[in-house]
């Protein structure tokens, strides 16, 4: 059975010491901020949940403590598919040890670090015969970079700050992925139900105008003199004019009877 070899060196600290010339005053300027999942988490340095997912292979890398599997995991977590990107023309990505990343993806590699880019060390960068890759967490004002990595210099997972100088990455590979924010997503405001549309009130039919009842014209008031003349004329009418059915009701039968009704004013 063929055993796949990890794509990052294990125990690189011993190799690095063996490669350091005797009596050399050169020293690594890296500052290790934490080491191990528990210590890093306790210090506020996230492992992006790799500790819970490290036994899964990403980009077909060797699972577990392995620098290439960790970086592939971060790229997938940042939104890239869990498939290796196509290699540059003339290159093959069937084998992708750490030292090959900057060569297979040379068109994406430069010397400018960015958060979310991949720090890459070639075989001659002092990280061992198979190189190394790490995740760039931040670029600092003093020109240093802060990285998180797995399986480097005999350690499992750690964070480091690397200033320019010895130990600086050979290049930085840009896959177009940015580090996702761990901040919770903003809660959208509750939807406001639209107010029901009021139905228009039915229009009232105009009331029919009242029918005008013609008023009987008032009789003109008669003066006392006019009333007096009418009574005198009535009294002076000859009795012969009172005949028929209405004679008894209209005409007086005698002066005495007329007097019983009242005297005429003089």
């Amino acid at each position: 059975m063929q055993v796949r070899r990890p794509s990052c060196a294990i125990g690189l600290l011993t190799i690095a010491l063996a490669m350091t010339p005797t009596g050399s005053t050169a020293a690594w300027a890296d500052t290790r901020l934490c080491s191990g999942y528990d210590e890093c988490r306790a210090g506020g340095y996230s492992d992006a949940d790799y500790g819970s997912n490290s036994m899964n292979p990403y980009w077909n890398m060797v699972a577990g403590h392995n620098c290439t599997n960790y970086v592939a995991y971060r790229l997938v977590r940042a939104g890239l598919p869990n498939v290796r990107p196509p290699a540059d023309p003339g290159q093959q990505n069937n084998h992708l040890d750490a030292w090959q990343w900057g060569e297979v993806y040379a068109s994406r590699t430069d010397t400018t670090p960015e958060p979310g880019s991949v720090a890459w060390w070639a075989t001659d960068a002092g990280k061992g015969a198979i190189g190394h890759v790490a995740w760039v967490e931040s670029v600092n004002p003093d020109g240093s970079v802060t990285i998180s990595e797995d399986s480097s210099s005999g350690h499992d997972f750690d964070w480091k700050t690397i200033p320019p100088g010895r130990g600086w990455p050979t290049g930085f590979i840009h896959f177009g992925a940015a580090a996702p924010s761990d901040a919770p997503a903003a809660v959208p405001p509750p939807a406001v139900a639209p107010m029901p549309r009021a139905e228009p009130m039915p229009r009232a039919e105009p009331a029919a105008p009242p029918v005008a009842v013609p008023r009987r014209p008032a009789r003109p008031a008669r003066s006392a003199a006019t009333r007096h003349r009418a009574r005198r004329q009535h009294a002076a009418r000859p009795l012969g004019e009172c005949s028929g059915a209405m004679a008894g009701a209209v005409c007086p039968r005698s002066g005495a009877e007329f007097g019983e009704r009242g005297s005429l004013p003089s």
Side-chain angles (χ1 to χ4, degrees):
M1 182 178 66
Q2 183 179 1
V3 179
R4 300 174 60 190
R5 77 185 167 106
S7 53
C8 283
I10 300 177
L12 289 177
L13 179 60
T14 304
I15 298 174
L17 292 174
M19 295 176 62
T20 304
T22 304
S24 173
T25 58
W28 293 95
D30 300 358
T31 300
R32 183 172 286 110
L33 303 174
C34 66
S35 179
Y37 299 131
D38 294 338
E39 179 184 318
C40 288
R41 291 169 186 163
Y45 299 101
S46 173
D47 66 345
D49 292 329
Y50 182 66
S52 302
N53 296 278
S54 62
M55 298 314 297
N56 300 317
Y58 298 90
W59 284 13
N60 200 31
M61 301 296 181
V62 177
H65 284 306
N66 183 11
C67 66
T68 55
N69 194 57
Y70 171 68
V71 171
Y73 165 79
R74 293 299 303 264
L75 290 166
V76 172
R77 186 174 183 268
L80 269 65
N82 194 11
V83 179
R84 297 179 184 181
D88 284 0
Q91 298 289 337
Q92 296 289 331
N93 65 358
N94 297 334
H95 300 285
L96 202 60
D97 288 343
W99 67 270
Q100 295 176 297
W101 283 50
E103 297 180 2
V104 172
Y105 302 112
S107 63
R108 304 170 184 257
T109 305
D110 58 25
T111 57
T112 304
E114 291 180 348
S117 61
V118 177
W120 165 67
W121 288 263
T123 56
D124 58 353
K127 288 285 188 178
I130 58 176
H132 185 56
V133 287
W135 181 260
V136 178
E137 298 285 353
S138 65
V139 180
N140 307 314
D142 62 356
S144 65
V145 294
T146 298
I147 64 167
S148 60
E149 59 186 359
D150 202 300
S151 184
S152 173
S153 303
H155 293 271
D156 47 18
F157 176 81
D158 61 31
W159 278 55
K160 290 178 183 174
T161 297
I162 306 174
R166 189 166 184 261
W168 187 254
T170 305
F172 299 91
I173 310 171
H174 306 272
F175 287 98
S181 174
D182 291 328
V187 178
V192 178
M195 294 292 294
R197 184 177 178 181
E199 294 296 332
M201 296 292 293
R203 295 182 59 184
E205 295 295 331
V211 178
V213 179
R215 297 182 62 184
R216 185 176 180 178
R219 295 179 61 183
R222 296 189 298 174
S223 62
T226 301
R227 291 194 303 271
H228 180 67
R229 283 196 302 271
R231 290 182 182 137
R232 290 178 66 88
Q233 290 174 358
H234 182 76
R237 291 175 61 182
L239 294 177
E241 294 181 4
C242 293
S243 63
M246 296 295 296
V250 175
C251 299
R253 290 187 294 273
S254 64
E257 183 180 355
F258 183 80
E260 292 174 358
R261 292 187 170 184
S263 62
L264 291 177
S266 55

